[in-house]
Amino acid sequence: MASRARPPASANDWLKFSFFALIALCFLAVLWVDDRFWFDPSDPHARRVLAFRSLLMFHGLMGLTALTAGTAQMSSRIRTRKPALHHALGKVYIVAVCLSAPVAIYIGVSALEPASIHVEQVFQGGLWLICALVAWICARLRLMQQHRDWMIRSYGFTLVFVLSRVPDIFVNHYSDQFLSDMLWSLIVCALIAPESIATASAIRRASARKRPA
């Protein structure tokens, strides 16, 4: 029996692939720039975080789990062709966020971080957890559109795990004010992400309908 031909990738598929490829490149660059201290005890940053080393390792591993599982959750092919895998990855994502977010808040309001971002860290970690839990509740109640929207918001907060450290690739030092402004900006982006994506898709579809045949 002939196998079904896979449909060609759409422009939306290529856009999504490009986005996640960019995130992967950012993650690798950030890992090289910011996290080499894990393998070099003589690094000054290794001595600075020594008291929080175990918590940071746990938070990082759970954050990486959420990042990986959340990225897979964004795949429409997995969602439609392998729903059991999609559901399993969703549970992994929720557990990872529930474990990582409280630790992130604890570290974020400690002496390890500047006082200028303590309040932001509470909002960032708290909203990350809340968005994930609301997404899970909506899925349990079969409110799938709401589930999708809240999952995108939560995943947006997961990406802060990477994006907030991208400036470290280009500059060695920046002010606490810049750090605070950047983190609050990323929170806003995460919160409005579902509406932004839906609006962009609607505009693209409307433009395609008006295009002459």
Side-chain angles (χ1 to χ4, degrees), residues 23-87:
I23 293 297
L25 287 174
C26 289
F27 173 78
L28 292 175
V30 164
L31 191 66
W32 174 255
V33 171
D34 275 357
D35 293 328
R36 283 181 291 175
F37 72 90
W38 290 108
F39 312 102
D40 182 9
S42 65
D43 189 301
H45 192 57
R47 293 191 294 271
R48 177 173 172 266
V49 304
L50 184 61
F52 296 89
R53 186 178 178 88
S54 297
L55 282 176
L56 281 171
M57 184 176 294
F58 179 79
H59 167 61
L61 289 174
M62 290 301 99
L64 179 59
T65 300
L67 181 66
T68 305
T71 300
Q73 285 292 94
M74 298 297 113
S75 171
S76 56
R77 294 191 177 186
I78 292 178
R79 186 166 57 249
T80 56
R81 299 181 183 182
K82 298 181 179 180
L85 176 60
H86 176 75
H87 296 155

